[in-house]
Amino acid sequence: MAQRSEPAADGQNRTAGSGDRRGADVLGREGTGPLAGVVIADFSRVLAGPYATMLLADMGATVIKVEGPDGDDTRTYMPPVRDGEATFFLAVNRNKHSIALDLKDPQDLDVAHSLIRSADVLIENFKPGSMARLGLDYASVAELNPDIIYASITGFGTGGGAHIPGYDLLVQAASGMMSLTGDQDTQPYRAGIALFDVITGLHAAIGVLGALHHKNQTGEGQLVELNLLTSALSGMVNQSAAYVTGGVVPTRMGNEHPSMYPYAPMQTGDGMLIVATGNDAQFVRLCAALGIPGIALDPKFAKTRQRNANRDELREILHTRLATQSAAQWFSELTAAGLPCAPIQDVRGGVDFAEQLGLQPVVLAGSGTRKIPTVRHPVEYSRTPVDYSLAPPELNESSELVRRWLSHQKALTHA
């Protein structure tokens, strides 16, 4: 089991509603993250939006998660569970404050309006038109808060695709990604994660950061729009470029790479080992480490294009040599020789491997009796470190705190 890092000291002694937005969560969580003092009204749910807002919350932003009376859908995505809570929800909602609002109720909608007036950023991923029917579209929100950054995430845009539900699996299919996943003689496969929800969440976080930089320079807010399909085509990089730039429609190649070889799982004496050869010099070193240096001099294999053209013959040569030792032995020897390779592991193995490398992949989010093991934020800052002082919130647990802060903000406005 991987070790759990304790959260950084959070010193939660700042008075909520103090109005001091320098270097702290405005609701009392102190921190030194680069976004400390930024307030985000989080109207998103499920994955793309919540992943983006969690990353921003890790960086110190005050994220107030607005949930419906029944909570974010992912609270019910079970199994797996931890102490009766869905691990799906726990994965993307740490460092947030939860308030439950029925946006069709006038009083709750008024609370939402108060939150919007005090926020720097609003993030939502409702189906196109839903926020407009509630009077919470960008045009309406900008009347309440002209300087707000409004990030809107949809599945297929707000034009011709507005009517298509924004589910990651639909985007994996429609984008062409599934046509690239699997062997040539199998059906298309989806990725093992909601890949484009995650990529869109990353793009959303980047978009918000860009808009915040512009706002810091000019004081202007703006509308930031994203959709899963555009993020998918961007995230498919060389495969989408194969068609857009080269006019080539890529196809499924299983675990092999269309442009490099060997760059795939290779059979060893007791299992598979990923061997990744990115250039001719690496191939020379690989052949030397395998004890077959002459192969690198063969005109059929000396250059990348020739290796790709003759990969079936080369595969047999490499498998024959790799079969003489175990995957673990080859991993040790090839890594020592500076060659890219990796064992194929399950998720437990991946987390444990990161721990062995000293990366501390698991951190405890929260304090006191509620500490939840979560995956570490992917960025480390030397001057403005992230923290994990808040566990993923229980539904509506911050309602009183948020309402008290909003009342204080309203009093300041009318003072």
Side-chain angles (χ1 to χ4, degrees), residues 58-381:
D58 289 349
M59 290 186 274
T62 302
V63 174
I64 299 173
K65 182 177 179 67
V66 178
E67 303 187 65
D70 295 327
D72 190 314
D73 287 350
T74 59
R75 290 186 183 274
T76 67
Y77 287 6
M78 306 176 192
V81 299
R82 176 186 173 84
D83 297 332
E85 295 183 86
T87 61
F88 196 124
F89 177 85
L90 298 176
V92 291
N93 285 289
R94 69 174 171 231
N95 283 330
K96 302 179 187 180
H97 307 274
S98 171
I99 182 171
L101 298 176
D102 180 353
L103 297 177
K104 296 179 181 179
D105 178 272
Q107 290 183 327
D108 280 3
L109 186 60
D110 186 60
V111 174
H113 288 165
S114 296
L115 173 58
I116 289 166
R117 289 188 185 97
S118 298
D120 299 294
V121 180
L122 183 151
I123 297 182
E124 62 89 13
N125 61 351
F126 281 80
K127 187 176 179 180
S130 299
M131 292 294 272
R133 286 191 290 273
L134 294 166
L136 296 176
D137 55 301
Y138 175 63
S140 300
V141 164
E143 291 183 4
L144 296 171
N145 183 349
D147 301 330
I148 200 164
I149 294 165
Y150 189 111
S152 178
I153 302 170
T154 61
F156 295 87
T158 58
H163 65 290
I164 306 175
Y167 286 91
D168 177 272
L169 184 56
L170 304 186
V171 180
Q172 289 196 35
S175 66
M177 198 281 286
M178 286 180 64
S179 75
L180 305 174
T181 308
D183 292 318
Q184 289 180 326
D185 57 352
T186 65
Q187 64 178 356
Y189 280 97
R190 70 174 182 90
I193 60 170
L195 179 64
F196 295 136
D197 270 338
V198 173
I199 289 178
T200 306
L202 291 169
H203 290 170
I206 293 169
V208 167
L209 293 175
L212 281 170
H213 179 68
H214 176 78
K215 183 176 179 177
N216 288 339
Q217 291 184 314
T218 67
E220 299 173 338
Q222 61 182 300
L223 174 63
V224 178
E225 294 185 280
L226 306 100
N227 67 79
L228 271 65
L229 182 56
T230 297
S231 283
L233 295 175
S234 174
M236 288 161 63
V237 286
N238 60 300
Q239 297 286 37
S240 51
Y243 172 69
V244 171
T245 308
V248 175
V249 179
T251 58
R252 294 192 297 283
M253 296 184 64
N255 286 316
E256 296 194 356
H257 195 285
S259 307
M260 292 185 288
Y261 193 84
Y263 196 94
M266 309 296 292
Q267 183 65 51
T268 71
D270 67 349
M272 306 298 286
L273 178 75
I274 294 292
V275 176
T277 306
N279 54 55
D280 295 336
Q282 284 184 345
F283 183 65
V284 171
R285 292 186 4 241
L286 173 66
C287 290
L290 294 177
I292 49 174
I295 298 300
L297 304 177
D298 190 320
K300 291 183 293 184
F301 311 127
K303 298 296 181 181
T304 300
R305 180 169 290 186
Q306 283 69 48
R307 289 196 296 279
N308 285 328
N310 297 290
R311 63 175 63 198
D312 289 342
E313 182 179 351
L314 179 56
R315 184 185 301 109
E316 289 300 319
I317 295 171
L318 295 176
H319 281 184
T320 297
R321 179 59 186 147
L322 288 165
T324 63
Q325 292 190 154
S326 69
Q329 288 173 302
W330 282 122
F331 174 61
S332 177
E333 292 184 19
L334 296 181
T335 300
L339 291 162
C341 64
I344 299 176
Q345 305 180 132
D346 59 17
V347 175
R348 175 174 54 188
V351 173
D352 290 346
F353 184 46
E355 183 62 40
Q356 293 166 21
L357 298 177
L359 298 177
Q360 295 184 310
V362 181
V363 293
L364 292 175
S367 59
T369 59
R370 184 169 170 81
K371 294 182 180 180
I372 307 295
T374 62
V375 176
R376 176 178 294 277
H377 185 90
V379 181
E380 292 192 33
Y381 294 87

Side-chain angles (χ1 to χ4, degrees), residues 12-21 24-30 37-40 60-65 95-99 115 390 397-409:
Q12 297 192 23
N13 57 358
R14 184 177 298 272
T15 302
S18 67
D20 182 357
R21 291 171 59 163
D25 182 311
V26 300
L27 296 181
R29 164 187 159 225
E30 288 196 3
V38 173
V39 177
I40 298 176
T62 302
V63 174
I64 299 173
K65 182 177 179 67
N95 283 330
K96 302 179 187 180
H97 307 274
S98 171
I99 182 171
L115 173 58
L390 297 181
E397 75 169 35
S398 298
S399 178
E400 181 179 347
L401 185 63
V402 172
R403 291 171 188 271
R404 186 166 67 245
W405 176 70
L406 291 176
S407 295
H408 179 78
Q409 293 297 103

